[in-house]
Amino acid sequence: MNVLSDDSLEIRRDADVVACRQAVRARSVEQGFGLVDQTKIVTAASEIARNTLQYGGGGTVRIQKLADGSKQGLRLVFEDRGPGIADIARAMTDGFTTGSGLGKGLSGTKRLVNEFDLWSKPGEGTRITITRWK
Amino acid sequence: MASHIPDILRKHNSAILTDWLAEQARSFSRDTRARDDTPALSARFLGELADATAKGNVDDVDGEDFREIRALLEDLSRQRGLAGISPRDTAMFVFSLKKPLFARLRQELSGDALVDEMWSATTLLDRLGLLTTEAFQRTREQIIERQQQDMLELSTPVVKLWRGILALPMIGTLDSGRTQIVMESLLQKIAETEADVAILDITGVPTVDTLVAQHLLKTVAAARLMGADCIISGVRPQIAQTMVHLAIDMGDVTTKASLADAFAHALKRQGLTVVRAVKS
Ligand SMILES: Nc1ncnc2c1ncn2[C@@H]1O[C@H](COP(=O)(O)OP(=O)(O)O)[C@@H](O)[C@H]1O
Ligand SMILES: [Mg+2]
């Protein structure tokens, strides 16, 4: 598998969430994603970017364009050094929120992408890797 | 060993200031006019620089000793940024001090002392110059943020399509501050017009995530309390699909692909039909 490009963005403010969505949209167009795939990965990015800001206290996202044989994909790695997630299984449940959201961001994101990986450790932070293939 | 820089700054204060002002005038690009406040600011800067460096930490521009200097440069960058002066010209305010200061160092020192102090002075002025660029950047971001805020307020018109039917075409990102404004203007208009149908059109909203969905649901609930039913239009196929994956339940709210469909639906609910005029 080849990494064709690798960008990194900061997520510190509301405007950065918008910038993240725009960057993901642009990269997915470059990868030849159709409208449905674009919408899915951009929406997933929006969910996780907002969590990174809201719960992780800010962090970064890496956006990688991938090529695997004839397949093209987009991988996003969100990382923060916030409080981490104590009970991952619970956080992944539809409707669970410690804030005032709908509690469907994490679970919904998992359904919007092909690969979903969540690493988190209380006191250390959270890293979420999502990949969508064309 | 204490730096000679503060002593030299004080001893040659007026000569350095004169040379520096001349240097500044020369180094600015043609479109930056001389500013009235430059001589006073430059004099203040030299005084503060002597004070800060006299405290011993010539290279610690982030430290306590340089607080006044940093505040001065921050102010200067903000004001010049707002006045449309380029970051290059603002940074030149600091960089143009090099030549006059180096001339005096050369006059007063020699050998290792000269080399050491030249190095300290270069490092110091480079760092201070960078501060102006960072401050400029911050000012710019603040301006952009404010402009975005202004735009948001302008781009939320509530339009009356028919007696009792309102439409709210939403354009752009729907999170944070924006939604509150959208919701308030809609509710106010519902009260004013006694509308019983409100069409929330999201054709211009590129991404519908759980936060946007939550805002929409809240708006629908508030409108309902005021006696108006909502229709959400502009739900493109890819958006509908994504909302299903996110398990977003819009309850019994009617959704339509286009604003035209929503309008037709609203008219029908009011018992109205659109007919072609008969040519006589
Ligand atoms: N980066 C993160 N750091 C710490 N906690 C997180 C992070 N992301 C998610 N969480 C936790 O997982 C919960 C569920 O997240 P999510 O499904 O996006 O729902 P919501 O954002 O509506 O709360 C959050 O309420 C929060 O407690
Ligand atoms: Mg969330």
Side-chain angles (χ1 to χ4, degrees):
Chain A
M1 189 181 65
N2 290 316
V3 178
L4 305 175
S5 78
D6 194 339
D7 308 309
S8 179
L9 298 179
E10 298 260 324
I11 302 171
R12 301 264 160 239
R13 303 171 307 152
D14 271 338
D16 297 336
V17 177
V18 179
C20 169
R21 280 200 295 259
Q22 285 169 347
V24 170
R25 167 96 55 196
R27 295 294 93 77
S28 66
V29 169
E30 287 163 20
Q31 286 293 66
F33 279 29
L35 208 45
V36 171
D37 285 335
Q38 278 175 40
T39 307
K40 285 182 176 172
I41 190 73
V42 170
T43 308
S46 185
E47 293 296 343
I48 307 302
R50 188 156 300 286
N51 283 355
T52 300
L53 183 66
Q54 189 179 349
Y55 300 111
T60 56
V61 55
R62 279 177 73 178
I63 306 174
Q64 298 178 320
K65 290 201 285 184
L66 307 178
D68 191 359
S70 60
K71 274 201 309 181
Q72 293 189 294
L74 205 58
R75 176 191 291 155
L76 313 177
V77 186
F78 293 86
E79 228 167 346
D80 67 64
R81 294 179 175 280
I85 303 174
D87 187 342
I88 293 177
R90 246 179 120 202
M92 290 298 301
T93 314
D94 261 342
F96 175 80
T97 176
T98 55
S100 54
L102 292 178
K104 296 178 173 180
L106 284 177
S107 47
T109 295
K110 191 171 178 187
R111 292 188 291 262
L112 286 171
V113 297
N114 300 116
E115 292 160 29
F116 180 96
D117 180 69
L118 194 167
W119 174 93
S120 188
K121 209 165 175 187
E124 285 187 25
T126 300
R127 186 178 58 239
I128 294 178
T129 308
I130 55 180
T131 311
R132 171 109 208 144
W133 295 99
K134 199 173 111 177
Chain B
M1 188 196 67
S3 168
H4 298 284
I5 292 174
D7 293 339
I8 292 172
L9 279 170
R10 286 189 180 124
K11 183 169 165 196
H12 297 283
N13 182 283
S14 61
I16 292 177
L17 182 59
T18 311
D19 292 352
W20 183 24
L21 289 173
E23 201 60 40
Q24 286 187 50
R26 221 191 338 267
S27 62
F28 283 164
S29 45
R30 214 167 303 146
D31 46 338
T32 301
R33 280 172 293 119
R35 296 180 56 82
D36 303 341
D37 59 351
T38 302
L41 265 174
S42 304
R44 231 187 89 205
F45 182 85
L46 279 187
E48 301 281 6
L49 188 63
D51 290 350
T53 49
K55 290 176 186 151
N57 296 314
V58 180
D59 55 358
D60 184 20
V61 299
D62 299 322
E64 188 55 28
D65 299 346
F66 279 84
R67 195 151 52 133
E68 292 293 326
I69 294 261
R70 287 199 304 271
L72 190 155
L73 288 177
E74 179 102 15
D75 255 18
L76 174 117
S77 304
R78 179 187 310 280
Q79 274 161 24
R80 296 193 171 188
L82 289 171
I85 292 173
S86 73
R88 174 194 171 276
D89 281 350
T90 304
M92 278 317 284
F93 173 82
V94 177
F95 293 141
S96 59
L97 176 56
K98 282 189 179 177
K99 209 167 149 190
L101 177 59
F102 290 180
R104 302 298 152 180
L105 291 177
R106 237 177 267 121
Q107 185 182 330
E108 293 282 336
L109 306 167
S110 60
D112 283 353
L114 176 61
V115 175
D116 287 351
E117 294 290 24
M118 287 279 260
W119 177 249
S120 307
T122 304
T123 316
L124 174 62
L125 292 181
D126 285 348
R127 287 188 184 159
L128 292 175
L130 272 183
L131 282 185
T132 65
T133 312
E134 284 166 14
F136 180 88
Q137 183 93 14
R138 272 196 298 279
T139 308
R140 227 180 55 147
E141 282 168 11
Q142 283 163 4
I143 294 173
I144 293 172
E145 217 158 272
R146 210 188 46 221
Q147 283 171 342
Q148 283 173 341
Q149 206 60 40
D150 291 348
M151 243 165 59
L152 297 181
E153 293 186 34
L154 290 175
S155 64
T156 52
V158 182
V159 288
K160 184 172 163 186
L161 294 182
W162 197 258
R163 208 176 305 123
I165 305 175
L166 296 179
L168 181 67
M170 300 191 241
I171 294 162
T173 55
L174 245 199
D175 24 46
S176 59
R178 171 94 187 269
T179 334
Q180 196 60 31
I181 299 162
V182 170
M183 188 142 96
E184 277 163 20
S185 53
L186 176 67
L187 296 181
Q188 194 184 338
K189 201 69 176 238
I190 290 174
E192 273 168 30
T193 61
E194 294 176 19
D196 41 37
V197 182
I199 301 171
L200 310 178
D201 183 63
I202 58 168
T203 306
V205 179
T207 310
V208 178
D209 58 9
T210 59
L211 183 65
V212 171
Q214 190 180 27
H215 288 324
L216 288 173
L217 288 168
K218 276 186 188 160
T219 307
V220 169
R224 203 163 266 170
L225 284 177
M226 313 247 341
D229 268 340
C230 289
I231 302 173
I232 297 178
S233 67
V235 184
R236 289 91 76 199
Q238 68 275 20
I239 300 279
Q241 235 191 81
T242 308
M243 286 170 75
V244 170
H245 284 294
L246 291 174
I248 294 165
D249 178 12
M250 295 307 286
D252 53 358
V253 182
T254 310
T255 60
K256 294 284 171 191
S258 72
L259 180 54
D261 290 346
F263 186 37
H265 181 86
L267 286 174
K268 204 165 131 200
R269 268 195 29 186
Q270 304 215 344
L272 298 166
T273 46
V274 180
V275 292
R276 188 180 297 275
V278 185
K279 283 196 195 122
S280 56

